[in-house]
Amino acid sequence: MQNFDAIVIGAGAAGLFCAGVAGQRGLRVLVLDHSEKVAEKIRISGGGRANFTNRDLDPHAPHKHFIGANPNFCRSALSRYTPTDFIELLQRHGIAFHEKHKGQLFCDRSAEDLIQMLLRECDAGGVQRWQPCSVKSIRVDGDGVYELDTDRGPVRSPAVVIATGGLSIPKIGATDFGYRVAKQFGLRLVEPRPGLVPLTFDGDGWLPYATLAGLSLPVRMETGDKKARMAFAEDLLFTHRGLSGPAVLQISSYWHDNTPIRLNLAPEADLPAALARAKASSRKLLANELASLVPSRLADAWVQQDADWQRPVAEASDKALTRLAERLSRWEITPTGTEGYKKAEVTLGGVDTRDLSSQTLESKQPGLYFIGEVVDVTGWLGGYNFQWAWASAHACGQAL
């Protein structure tokens, strides 16, 4: 039976960072992961360049960029370890990075640079890493010490950190392990569901738009009503099965079954005025005039939906033009579902924050900690989820 000061289960962003922090503070730390590969989610994120944080994050108003039953839970950790802190770490390791837009920061060269940095931080703390190594069972003895049966034999520690992530992208090893451990020790869960995920549409209703697969354009998209209303101005991508792109991934975290989404497909244009001007001065087909306001493929597909729109703009009635402008600027459509965990970038829900300390991430079960995506804290697209991984890991690593 080997003894450690802390055992971290999960060799992803949060797990590795937490282990490095704790190890460099003098603890004997073991990291376990059932996968052979390390930090695979970092490797595939941001097109292979890892969108590792976001400059725009406001730690004093986390509800702006984070979702959960209690969005303010993450404030403590995020305010104590900020994007600036993580940027300083990258600079110490000589990793070049750049900002794309809306505060999103990416590695210049490769996400692999970030993974190697985390491994060097672990090495600096003398962290032991066992991979691949599955945990078969966890129990706690009468003295409050945890005993784990693993593929490489039994280990003991007074502290166990669960950093196993959520259910998204099962092909890189996602499992429900963290949720099972939470349940085993009587902790509550907020029902997990896919987040930052493409939306799908079934049946004949989608046929007019299936031909638009591959088309991308800037839109304004919203869902919900009154206080629950959420809107994003981002790019939209049409796919064979539905809608994707940043606008859809963002709105998906706020969308609920059987509720519509509303899209303005020409957010920069004053459609009624533009169409009225065209009617007074142009002999072109309405579709051709529309193509100056939205992508031509979209214009062609759109006018097919109404015989009144399939004529020269000068011959179109005012009512028909008003209807067209309204339809384009407030297209309401109800998704039938999502692409599920296989395409979801994150998992909404998770370990209920009511059962965790916002200061240390320790649960009501003494010595058992939960960090990163396994917790009911989900960020927007754009580096926010990685910053939660770093911040929660840092808070936990210091508390250990």
Side-chain angles (χ1 to χ4, degrees):
M1 180 80 76
Q2 293 193 58
N3 288 278
F4 294 89
D5 297 320
I7 297 172
V8 179
I9 304 176
L16 289 177
F17 193 51
C18 177
V21 170
Q24 289 180 43
R25 290 172 74 90
L27 298 191
R28 189 155 180 259
V29 182
L30 172 67
V31 175
L32 302 169
D33 198 297
H34 70 108
S35 173
E36 204 166 313
K37 293 181 176 174
V38 64
E40 194 66 1
K41 205 162 185 185
I42 295 178
R43 197 186 312 278
I44 65 170
S45 71
R49 289 192 173 174
N51 176 195
F52 56 82
T53 192
N54 195 301
R55 278 196 209 272
D56 293 346
L57 190 152
D58 180 356
H60 303 296
H63 56 277
K64 284 183 185 173
H65 298 119
F66 289 87
I67 309 158
N70 175 13
N72 280 310
F73 172 85
C74 56
R75 179 183 295 180
S76 174
L78 290 168
S79 61
R80 285 179 291 138
Y81 194 84
T82 66
T84 304
D85 293 318
F86 194 73
I87 289 165
E88 285 173 1
L89 180 64
L90 258 76
Q91 289 170 332
R92 284 207 303 279
H93 284 263
I95 296 174
F97 60 90
H98 59 279
E99 183 174 333
K100 269 199 175 171
H101 74 141
K102 297 191 175 182
Q104 300 170 12
L105 301 185
F106 292 77
C107 296
D108 276 4
R109 199 188 71 83
S110 166
E112 187 62 38
D113 292 342
L114 195 57
I115 296 169
Q116 291 306 315
M117 178 191 85
L118 294 171
L119 293 176
R120 285 197 297 274
E121 286 289 304
C122 283
D123 289 345
V127 173
Q128 284 194 51
R129 186 161 50 86
W130 294 357
Q131 280 186 267
C133 180
S134 292
V135 177
K136 295 167 182 170
S137 66
I138 302 178
R139 60 191 169 275
V140 63
D141 69 15
D143 297 323
V145 176
Y146 291 88
E147 294 181 355
L148 283 63
D149 290 322
T150 81
D151 288 348
R152 303 194 188 187
V155 287
R156 295 177 86 242
S157 175
V160 172
V161 180
I162 306 296
T164 49
L167 298 169
S168 46
I169 325 181
K171 71 180 180 193
I172 61 168
T175 73
D176 65 348
F177 179 89
Y179 307 142
R180 293 202 310 268
V181 173
K183 281 181 183 169
Q184 178 187 340
F185 290 100
L187 306 178
R188 290 170 285 190
L189 288 178
V190 174
E191 187 66 33
R193 62 187 177 94
L196 300 181
V197 63
L199 299 173
T200 56
F201 302 81
D202 291 339
D204 297 339
W206 190 248
L207 281 178
Y209 315 109
T211 58
L212 295 172
L215 177 68
S216 178
L217 70 158
V219 300
R220 180 177 165 82
M221 181 181 292
E222 63 177 51
T223 191
D225 291 305
K226 296 177 182 169
K227 279 190 175 178
R229 194 178 72 85
M230 198 66 201
F232 291 95
E234 289 275 9
D235 283 357
L236 170 75
L237 174 68
F238 283 86
T239 71
H240 290 289
R241 287 163 49 83
L243 298 173
S244 189
V248 174
L249 299 187
Q250 293 282 43
I251 213 78
S252 70
S253 295
Y254 295 88
W255 175 76
H256 296 283
D257 286 351
N258 304 316
T259 58
I261 55 173
R262 297 174 292 278
L263 298 91
N264 184 342
L265 295 169
E268 302 299 314
D270 182 344
L271 287 171
L275 292 173
R277 278 197 305 274
K279 180 175 178 175
S281 62
S282 172
R283 294 184 176 183
K284 290 181 183 174
L285 284 170
L286 179 48
N288 293 348
E289 279 298 336
L290 193 57
S292 67
L293 302 167
V294 299
S296 56
R297 281 175 65 196
L298 179 63
D300 290 340
W302 218 256
V303 299
Q304 295 306 315
Q305 299 175 53
D306 191 324
D308 290 344
W309 300 338
Q310 296 164 30
R311 59 185 67 198
V313 64
E315 296 173 19
S317 70
D318 290 345
K319 272 187 177 175
L321 293 180
T322 299
R323 205 163 60 242
L324 176 60
E326 282 178 357
R327 185 82 196 282
L328 276 166
S329 59
R330 196 177 165 83
W331 180 31
E332 187 167 292
I333 188 163
T334 302
T336 48
T338 75
E339 290 282 8
Y341 289 117
K342 69 180 185 293
K343 294 281 181 72
E345 295 199 10
V346 293
T347 305
L348 292 154
V351 179
D352 196 321
T353 55
R354 290 177 296 177
D355 290 347
L356 301 177
S357 160
S358 63
Q359 299 286 315
T360 65
L361 284 302
E362 186 176 14
S363 70
K364 287 181 176 177
Q365 167 68 33
L368 184 63
Y369 300 74
F370 291 82
I371 59 174
E373 192 183 340
V374 73
V375 178
D376 177 33
V377 173
T378 305
W380 284 10
L381 187 73
Y384 294 100
N385 287 294
F386 273 132
Q387 186 59 36
W388 167 244
W390 315 134
S392 60
H394 192 265
C396 178
Q398 287 198 311
L400 288 169

